[in-house]
Short mmCIF file of all heavy atoms in Angstrom, two decimals:
data_model
loop_
_atom_site.label_atom_id
_atom_site.label_comp_id
_atom_site.label_asym_id
_atom_site.label_seq_id
_atom_site.Cartn_x
_atom_site.Cartn_y
_atom_site.Cartn_z
N GLY I 1087 -0.03 7.43 56.84
CA GLY I 1087 -0.56 6.15 56.41
C GLY I 1087 -1.99 6.20 55.93
O GLY I 1087 -2.65 5.17 55.79
N ASN I 1088 -2.51 7.41 55.67
CA ASN I 1088 -3.91 7.54 55.28
C ASN I 1088 -4.09 8.23 53.94
O ASN I 1088 -5.12 8.84 53.67
CB ASN I 1088 -4.67 8.34 56.37
CG ASN I 1088 -4.73 7.60 57.68
OD1 ASN I 1088 -5.00 6.40 57.70
ND2 ASN I 1088 -4.47 8.30 58.77
N SER I 1089 -3.08 8.15 53.10
CA SER I 1089 -3.17 8.82 51.81
C SER I 1089 -4.24 8.18 50.93
O SER I 1089 -4.29 6.97 50.76
CB SER I 1089 -1.82 8.76 51.08
OG SER I 1089 -1.95 9.29 49.78
N GLU I 1090 -5.12 9.02 50.39
CA GLU I 1090 -6.14 8.52 49.48
C GLU I 1090 -5.68 8.63 48.03
O GLU I 1090 -6.37 8.18 47.12
CB GLU I 1090 -7.45 9.30 49.68
CG GLU I 1090 -8.06 9.12 51.07
CD GLU I 1090 -9.36 9.90 51.21
OE1 GLU I 1090 -9.72 10.61 50.26
OE2 GLU I 1090 -9.99 9.79 52.28
N GLU I 1091 -4.52 9.23 47.84
CA GLU I 1091 -3.99 9.39 46.50
C GLU I 1091 -3.52 8.05 45.97
O GLU I 1091 -2.86 7.29 46.68
CB GLU I 1091 -2.84 10.39 46.50
CG GLU I 1091 -2.32 10.75 45.12
CD GLU I 1091 -1.25 11.83 45.18
OE1 GLU I 1091 -0.91 12.26 46.29
OE2 GLU I 1091 -0.78 12.24 44.11
N LYS I 1092 -3.84 7.75 44.72
CA LYS I 1092 -3.44 6.49 44.12
C LYS I 1092 -1.94 6.49 43.88
O LYS I 1092 -1.40 7.39 43.27
CB LYS I 1092 -4.20 6.26 42.80
CG LYS I 1092 -3.92 4.90 42.18
CD LYS I 1092 -4.73 4.70 40.92
CE LYS I 1092 -4.45 3.34 40.30
NZ LYS I 1092 -5.23 3.12 39.04
N LEU I 1093 -1.28 5.45 44.37
CA LEU I 1093 0.16 5.32 44.21
C LEU I 1093 0.47 4.23 43.19
O LEU I 1093 -0.05 3.12 43.31
CB LEU I 1093 0.82 4.98 45.55
CG LEU I 1093 0.55 5.96 46.70
CD1 LEU I 1093 1.21 5.48 47.99
CD2 LEU I 1093 1.04 7.36 46.35
N GLU I 1094 1.28 4.56 42.22
CA GLU I 1094 1.59 3.61 41.15
C GLU I 1094 3.09 3.38 41.06
O GLU I 1094 3.89 4.31 41.23
CB GLU I 1094 1.06 4.13 39.81
CG GLU I 1094 -0.45 4.24 39.74
CD GLU I 1094 -0.93 4.65 38.36
OE1 GLU I 1094 -0.08 4.89 37.48
OE2 GLU I 1094 -2.15 4.73 38.17
N ILE I 1095 3.46 2.15 40.77
CA ILE I 1095 4.86 1.78 40.62
C ILE I 1095 5.30 2.09 39.19
O ILE I 1095 4.70 1.64 38.24
CB ILE I 1095 5.08 0.30 40.94
CG1 ILE I 1095 4.60 -0.02 42.35
CG2 ILE I 1095 6.56 -0.08 40.78
CD1 ILE I 1095 4.54 -1.50 42.67
N LYS I 1096 6.36 2.89 39.06
CA LYS I 1096 6.88 3.27 37.76
C LYS I 1096 8.37 2.92 37.67
O LYS I 1096 9.03 2.70 38.69
CB LYS I 1096 6.69 4.77 37.52
CG LYS I 1096 5.23 5.24 37.55
CD LYS I 1096 4.47 4.74 36.33
CE LYS I 1096 3.05 5.31 36.31
NZ LYS I 1096 2.30 4.87 35.10
N LYS I 1097 8.88 2.90 36.46
CA LYS I 1097 10.29 2.60 36.25
C LYS I 1097 10.88 3.59 35.26
O LYS I 1097 10.32 3.82 34.19
CB LYS I 1097 10.48 1.17 35.76
CG LYS I 1097 11.94 0.72 35.72
CD LYS I 1097 12.07 -0.78 35.52
CE LYS I 1097 11.63 -1.22 34.14
NZ LYS I 1097 11.97 -2.63 33.85
N LEU I 1098 12.02 4.18 35.61
CA LEU I 1098 12.71 5.11 34.72
C LEU I 1098 13.44 4.36 33.62
O LEU I 1098 13.60 3.13 33.67
CB LEU I 1098 13.71 5.94 35.53
CG LEU I 1098 13.12 6.82 36.64
CD1 LEU I 1098 14.23 7.47 37.45
CD2 LEU I 1098 12.20 7.88 36.06
N SER I 1099 13.91 5.09 32.63
CA SER I 1099 14.61 4.47 31.50
C SER I 1099 15.89 3.76 31.92
O SER I 1099 16.32 2.81 31.28
CB SER I 1099 14.94 5.54 30.45
OG SER I 1099 15.75 6.57 31.01
N ASN I 1100 16.48 4.19 33.05
CA ASN I 1100 17.69 3.53 33.54
C ASN I 1100 17.39 2.31 34.42
O ASN I 1100 18.30 1.70 34.99
CB ASN I 1100 18.57 4.52 34.32
CG ASN I 1100 17.86 5.11 35.54
OD1 ASN I 1100 16.88 4.57 36.03
ND2 ASN I 1100 18.36 6.24 36.01
N GLY I 1101 16.10 1.95 34.52
CA GLY I 1101 15.70 0.78 35.29
C GLY I 1101 15.36 1.06 36.73
O GLY I 1101 14.89 0.16 37.44
N GLN I 1102 15.56 2.28 37.21
CA GLN I 1102 15.28 2.63 38.60
C GLN I 1102 13.78 2.70 38.85
O GLN I 1102 13.03 3.30 38.08
CB GLN I 1102 15.94 3.95 38.95
CG GLN I 1102 15.98 4.24 40.44
CD GLN I 1102 16.75 5.50 40.75
OE1 GLN I 1102 16.19 6.59 40.80
NE2 GLN I 1102 18.06 5.36 40.92
N VAL I 1103 13.35 2.09 39.93
CA VAL I 1103 11.92 2.02 40.28
C VAL I 1103 11.57 3.14 41.27
O VAL I 1103 12.35 3.47 42.15
CB VAL I 1103 11.60 0.64 40.91
CG1 VAL I 1103 10.16 0.61 41.42
CG2 VAL I 1103 11.83 -0.48 39.89
N TYR I 1104 10.40 3.72 41.08
CA TYR I 1104 9.91 4.72 42.04
C TYR I 1104 8.39 4.60 42.14
O TYR I 1104 7.75 3.96 41.30
CB TYR I 1104 10.32 6.13 41.64
CG TYR I 1104 9.61 6.68 40.41
CD1 TYR I 1104 8.53 7.55 40.53
CD2 TYR I 1104 10.01 6.31 39.12
CE1 TYR I 1104 7.88 8.06 39.42
CE2 TYR I 1104 9.36 6.80 38.01
CZ TYR I 1104 8.29 7.68 38.16
OH TYR I 1104 7.64 8.16 37.04
N VAL I 1105 7.82 5.20 43.17
CA VAL I 1105 6.37 5.16 43.38
C VAL I 1105 5.80 6.53 43.07
O VAL I 1105 6.05 7.50 43.79
CB VAL I 1105 6.03 4.75 44.82
CG1 VAL I 1105 4.52 4.80 45.05
CG2 VAL I 1105 6.56 3.35 45.12
N GLN I 1106 5.06 6.61 41.97
CA GLN I 1106 4.46 7.87 41.56
C GLN I 1106 3.33 8.24 42.51
O GLN I 1106 2.44 7.44 42.79
CB GLN I 1106 3.92 7.73 40.13
CG GLN I 1106 3.42 9.03 39.52
CD GLN I 1106 2.97 8.84 38.10
OE1 GLN I 1106 2.04 8.08 37.82
NE2 GLN I 1106 3.64 9.51 37.17
N GLY I 1107 3.37 9.47 43.01
CA GLY I 1107 2.34 9.93 43.95
C GLY I 1107 2.79 9.87 45.40
O GLY I 1107 2.13 10.44 46.27
N ALA I 1108 3.91 9.18 45.68
CA ALA I 1108 4.40 9.10 47.05
C ALA I 1108 5.09 10.40 47.44
O ALA I 1108 5.65 11.11 46.60
CB ALA I 1108 5.38 7.93 47.20
N SER I 1109 5.06 10.71 48.72
CA SER I 1109 5.72 11.92 49.22
C SER I 1109 7.23 11.81 49.03
O SER I 1109 7.81 10.74 49.22
CB SER I 1109 5.42 12.12 50.70
OG SER I 1109 4.03 12.21 50.93
N VAL I 1110 7.84 12.91 48.63
CA VAL I 1110 9.30 13.00 48.52
C VAL I 1110 9.73 14.18 49.38
O VAL I 1110 9.40 15.33 49.08
CB VAL I 1110 9.76 13.19 47.06
CG1 VAL I 1110 11.28 13.28 47.00
CG2 VAL I 1110 9.25 12.05 46.18
N VAL I 1111 10.46 13.89 50.46
CA VAL I 1111 10.84 14.93 51.42
C VAL I 1111 12.35 15.15 51.38
O VAL I 1111 13.13 14.20 51.53
CB VAL I 1111 10.42 14.53 52.85
CG1 VAL I 1111 10.85 15.61 53.85
CG2 VAL I 1111 8.91 14.32 52.91
N LYS I 1112 12.76 16.40 51.15
CA LYS I 1112 14.19 16.71 51.16
C LYS I 1112 14.67 16.80 52.61
O LYS I 1112 14.00 17.35 53.48
CB LYS I 1112 14.45 18.03 50.44
CG LYS I 1112 14.34 17.92 48.92
CD LYS I 1112 14.85 19.19 48.25
CE LYS I 1112 14.87 19.02 46.73
NZ LYS I 1112 15.44 20.22 46.05
N VAL I 1113 15.86 16.25 52.85
CA VAL I 1113 16.44 16.27 54.19
C VAL I 1113 17.85 16.86 54.10
O VAL I 1113 18.57 16.61 53.13
CB VAL I 1113 16.48 14.87 54.81
CG1 VAL I 1113 15.09 14.41 55.19
CG2 VAL I 1113 17.11 13.85 53.88
N SER I 1114 18.24 17.60 55.13
CA SER I 1114 19.52 18.30 55.09
C SER I 1114 20.55 17.70 56.02
O SER I 1114 21.74 18.02 55.92
CB SER I 1114 19.32 19.77 55.43
OG SER I 1114 18.70 19.91 56.70
N ASP I 1115 20.13 16.84 56.95
CA ASP I 1115 21.09 16.20 57.85
C ASP I 1115 20.53 14.88 58.36
O ASP I 1115 19.35 14.57 58.17
CB ASP I 1115 21.48 17.12 59.01
CG ASP I 1115 20.29 17.57 59.84
OD1 ASP I 1115 19.48 16.71 60.26
OD2 ASP I 1115 20.13 18.79 60.07
N ALA I 1116 21.37 14.11 59.03
CA ALA I 1116 20.98 12.77 59.48
C ALA I 1116 19.89 12.82 60.54
O ALA I 1116 18.98 11.99 60.54
CB ALA I 1116 22.21 12.05 60.02
N ASN I 1117 19.96 13.79 61.45
CA ASN I 1117 18.95 13.87 62.52
C ASN I 1117 17.55 14.09 61.94
O ASN I 1117 16.56 13.51 62.41
CB ASN I 1117 19.30 14.99 63.49
CG ASN I 1117 20.51 14.66 64.35
OD1 ASN I 1117 20.78 13.49 64.62
ND2 ASN I 1117 21.24 15.67 64.77
N GLN I 1118 17.47 14.94 60.92
CA GLN I 1118 16.18 15.19 60.27
C GLN I 1118 15.66 13.93 59.60
O GLN I 1118 14.47 13.61 59.67
CB GLN I 1118 16.33 16.31 59.25
CG GLN I 1118 15.01 16.71 58.58
CD GLN I 1118 15.20 17.77 57.51
OE1 GLN I 1118 16.32 18.19 57.24
NE2 GLN I 1118 14.10 18.20 56.90
N LEU I 1119 16.57 13.18 58.97
CA LEU I 1119 16.18 11.95 58.30
C LEU I 1119 15.73 10.89 59.30
O LEU I 1119 14.73 10.20 59.08
CB LEU I 1119 17.35 11.43 57.46
CG LEU I 1119 17.13 10.09 56.72
CD1 LEU I 1119 15.92 10.18 55.80
CD2 LEU I 1119 18.38 9.72 55.93
N VAL I 1120 16.46 10.76 60.40
CA VAL I 1120 16.09 9.78 61.43
C VAL I 1120 14.74 10.10 62.03
O VAL I 1120 13.90 9.22 62.25
CB VAL I 1120 17.17 9.73 62.53
CG1 VAL I 1120 16.70 8.90 63.73
CG2 VAL I 1120 18.46 9.13 61.97
N SER I 1121 14.49 11.38 62.30
CA SER I 1121 13.19 11.79 62.84
C SER I 1121 12.06 11.47 61.86
O SER I 1121 11.00 10.97 62.26
CB SER I 1121 13.22 13.29 63.14
OG SER I 1121 11.97 13.73 63.62
N LEU I 1122 12.30 11.75 60.59
CA LEU I 1122 11.32 11.44 59.55
C LEU I 1122 11.04 9.94 59.50
O LEU I 1122 9.89 9.51 59.39
CB LEU I 1122 11.84 11.93 58.19
CG LEU I 1122 10.91 11.82 57.00
CD1 LEU I 1122 9.84 12.91 57.07
CD2 LEU I 1122 11.70 11.96 55.69
N PHE I 1123 12.10 9.17 59.60
CA PHE I 1123 11.99 7.71 59.54
C PHE I 1123 11.17 7.16 60.71
O PHE I 1123 10.29 6.32 60.53
CB PHE I 1123 13.40 7.12 59.53
CG PHE I 1123 13.44 5.62 59.52
CD1 PHE I 1123 13.05 4.91 58.40
CD2 PHE I 1123 13.90 4.91 60.62
CE1 PHE I 1123 13.08 3.52 58.38
CE2 PHE I 1123 13.94 3.54 60.61
CZ PHE I 1123 13.54 2.83 59.49
N TYR I 1124 11.47 7.63 61.92
CA TYR I 1124 10.73 7.15 63.09
C TYR I 1124 9.25 7.53 63.01
O TYR I 1124 8.37 6.73 63.38
CB TYR I 1124 11.35 7.70 64.38
CG TYR I 1124 12.56 6.94 64.86
CD1 TYR I 1124 13.71 7.60 65.28
CD2 TYR I 1124 12.55 5.55 64.92
CE1 TYR I 1124 14.83 6.90 65.73
CE2 TYR I 1124 13.66 4.84 65.37
CZ TYR I 1124 14.79 5.53 65.78
OH TYR I 1124 15.89 4.82 66.22
N ASP I 1125 8.97 8.73 62.54
CA ASP I 1125 7.57 9.15 62.37
C ASP I 1125 6.85 8.22 61.40
O ASP I 1125 5.69 7.84 61.62
CB ASP I 1125 7.50 10.59 61.86
CG ASP I 1125 7.87 11.60 62.93
OD1 ASP I 1125 7.89 11.24 64.13
OD2 ASP I 1125 8.15 12.77 62.57
N ALA I 1126 7.53 7.87 60.31
CA ALA I 1126 6.93 6.97 59.32
C ALA I 1126 6.70 5.59 59.91
O ALA I 1126 5.64 4.99 59.70
CB ALA I 1126 7.83 6.89 58.10
#
């Protein structure tokens, strides 16, 4: 929650919205995702 990087809202050509500069973490199973979620 302390990122100093500027985060900007962007939209792809298909209309999908994403936040440029936000962390993107690959997850391989549900337990890893749940742990990541609780930490966040």
